[in-house]
Amino acid sequence: KNGLDRYSKAAEIMLFAFAPANAPAIVWDRTVDPRMPGDLRDCINNDSMGLVAHNAAFEAAVLKENGYRINPNRWHCTMAQALAHSLPGALEKLCEILKVDDDLAKVKDGKALVRLFCCPRPKNMKLRRANQFTHPEEWERFVHYCGNDVEAMREVKRIMPSWNYGTGSEAASREKALWHIDQHINQRGVCIDTTLVEGAILTANRVQQQLADETKELTGYDAETKAGLSSTTKRDALLNLLRNVYDVEIENLRGSTIEALLKTEHELPPIVVSLLENRLAASSTSVSKYKRFKQLTGVDGRLRNTIQFCGA
């Protein structure tokens, strides 16, 4: 919810699944042995070796925060490959569409296992964190799920078309090269003026409060009796007030509808004009985008991973 940049800085790698060349998948359980297997270390440190991952941006970000910086040009992303061919990005969906054998397809209860071992436990529970000792059977399935993801991804890559992304043609290679540029852009990010963002949120909140106070005064708002209106942002309450008190019927409260009504020759009571103008002002001071900037921007003031290649 806070974006990949912030997530990767807080995430802990517990299981690391990998498969060298055509060998079966191996799962390195870091909770048992923190030392990286030699063959995995050799793969990561070999700059001439290509790496494949599903949603490689995630892998790259988490690895970087754990001390493994990998050149984006080494990656091949099977999710980008899927999206480049108008296929869904989710690995589970790809397995269904491409009819991957059940023994290779993504484990169905994987999300439940992730919630169990990777998410904070509810505050009312005595057990603050589930692990291989508290849930040994589930942990065994979790390890299997981790390794199976690599097998499923490898099979999906084998079956998927590659004419729009990959090495199958000049056009595919060119598209993959564009994806590499895209990864450099995403990892660099853009600088966000966080002081401006904070100021915009503060200012908008202040204006919203002023507009609400004006509305209360205009309509004689009383919290105890519920008379009047506390804010014009309350859509249904404003529509009812206009209809039942001032005999003004308005289809909706979209900005264009209100502006059109205010421009007509109809005689509107001055208080209705004031309420509608207040509504326009209150609607134009939305800070949702500023709040999103604040939520997603990293501690260094940069916003990263905002572009989905071949996606919305």
Side-chain angles (χ1 to χ4, degrees):
K1 292 179 180 178
N2 295 321
L4 176 55
D5 193 31
R6 288 194 171 208
Y7 178 91
S8 62
K9 286 177 171 56
E12 170 193 339
I13 299 175
M14 294 185 293
L15 302 176
F16 194 131
F18 65 101
N22 295 317
I26 302 166
V27 180
W28 168 33
D29 189 339
R30 292 183 79 231
T31 66
V32 175
D33 186 354
R35 295 169 300 177
M36 178 180 280
D39 46 359
L40 176 57
R41 190 187 313 108
D42 292 342
C43 291
I44 288 178
N45 292 334
N46 184 354
D47 289 336
S48 64
M49 182 178 289
L51 302 172
V52 181
H54 197 78
N55 189 12
F58 178 87
E59 251 77 6
V62 174
L63 285 170
K64 175 188 169 187
E65 295 303 327
N66 281 268
Y68 307 106
R69 287 179 174 271
I70 297 173
N71 187 325
N73 292 356
R74 292 178 60 191
W75 288 104
H76 176 102
C77 180
T78 49
M79 188 174 89
Q81 182 181 350
L83 294 173
H85 295 91
S86 297
L87 290 165
L91 186 58
E92 186 174 355
K93 284 285 185 185
L94 283 171
C95 288
E96 292 177 11
I97 290 171
L98 300 174
K99 299 186 178 355
V100 173
D101 291 343
D102 288 343
D103 59 334
L104 293 174
K106 194 172 175 71
V107 175
K108 299 298 182 184
D109 65 343
K111 289 182 180 178
L113 294 169
V114 167
R115 283 194 296 271
L116 175 62
F117 293 113
C118 302
C119 297
R121 302 279 287 170
K123 291 181 179 179
N124 61 342
M125 289 194 170
K126 290 183 179 179
L127 180 64
R128 300 304 301 137
R129 180 169 179 171
N131 55 41
Q132 67 267 48
F133 302 111
T134 62
H135 296 75
E137 292 182 10
E138 290 87 346
W139 183 264
E140 189 175 338
R141 292 210 313 277
F142 191 44
V143 173
H144 170 70
Y145 160 69
C146 185
N148 186 261
D149 253 14
V150 174
E151 301 287 5
M153 177 196 69
R154 185 156 54 184
E155 185 65 7
V156 161
K157 181 178 183 294
R158 186 186 69 80
I159 298 172
M160 265 196 302
S162 60
W163 52 74
N164 288 343
Y165 176 101
T167 56
S169 65
E170 183 182 343
S173 298
R174 186 166 60 246
E175 195 70 8
K176 186 173 175 180
L178 284 175
W179 177 79
H180 286 144
I181 295 172
D182 170 271
Q183 293 306 291
H184 282 284
I185 293 171
N186 269 307
Q187 290 180 22
R188 184 189 305 121
V190 292
C191 187
I192 300 297
D193 188 337
T194 53
T195 304
L196 173 65
V197 168
E198 293 282 0
I201 294 172
L202 185 66
T203 302
N205 289 340
R206 189 184 300 129
V207 170
Q208 287 282 17
Q209 187 57 55
Q210 291 171 352
L211 292 169
D213 291 342
E214 289 175 13
T215 301
K216 290 174 183 176
E217 187 175 346
L218 280 168
T219 62
Y221 176 72
D222 187 299
E224 292 186 6
T225 63
K226 304 296 183 182
L229 188 65
S230 62
S231 170
T232 54
T233 59
K234 298 185 182 301
R235 176 187 174 278
D236 292 344
L238 176 57
L239 286 172
N240 289 333
L241 183 74
L242 293 174
R243 183 185 305 112
N244 299 328
V245 177
Y246 302 107
D247 198 27
V248 174
E249 192 73 38
I250 181 170
E251 185 179 351
N252 56 64
L253 292 174
R254 296 193 192 102
S256 57
T257 304
I258 295 175
E259 288 170 357
L261 182 60
L262 291 172
K263 289 177 182 177
T264 62
E265 297 179 357
H266 295 301
E267 285 293 330
L268 294 173
I271 188 172
V272 172
V273 173
S274 296
L275 287 172
L276 292 176
E277 290 175 344
N278 185 295
R279 167 73 185 194
L280 283 176
S283 300
S284 67
T285 55
S286 171
V287 292
S288 57
K289 289 184 176 66
Y290 286 109
K291 288 180 177 178
R292 195 75 173 130
F293 275 130
K294 182 178 178 181
Q295 183 184 16
L296 299 179
T297 300
V299 293
D300 61 351
R302 297 190 76 82
L303 179 64
R304 296 181 175 86
N305 303 299
T306 58
I307 307 169
Q308 175 57 60
F309 192 79
C310 282

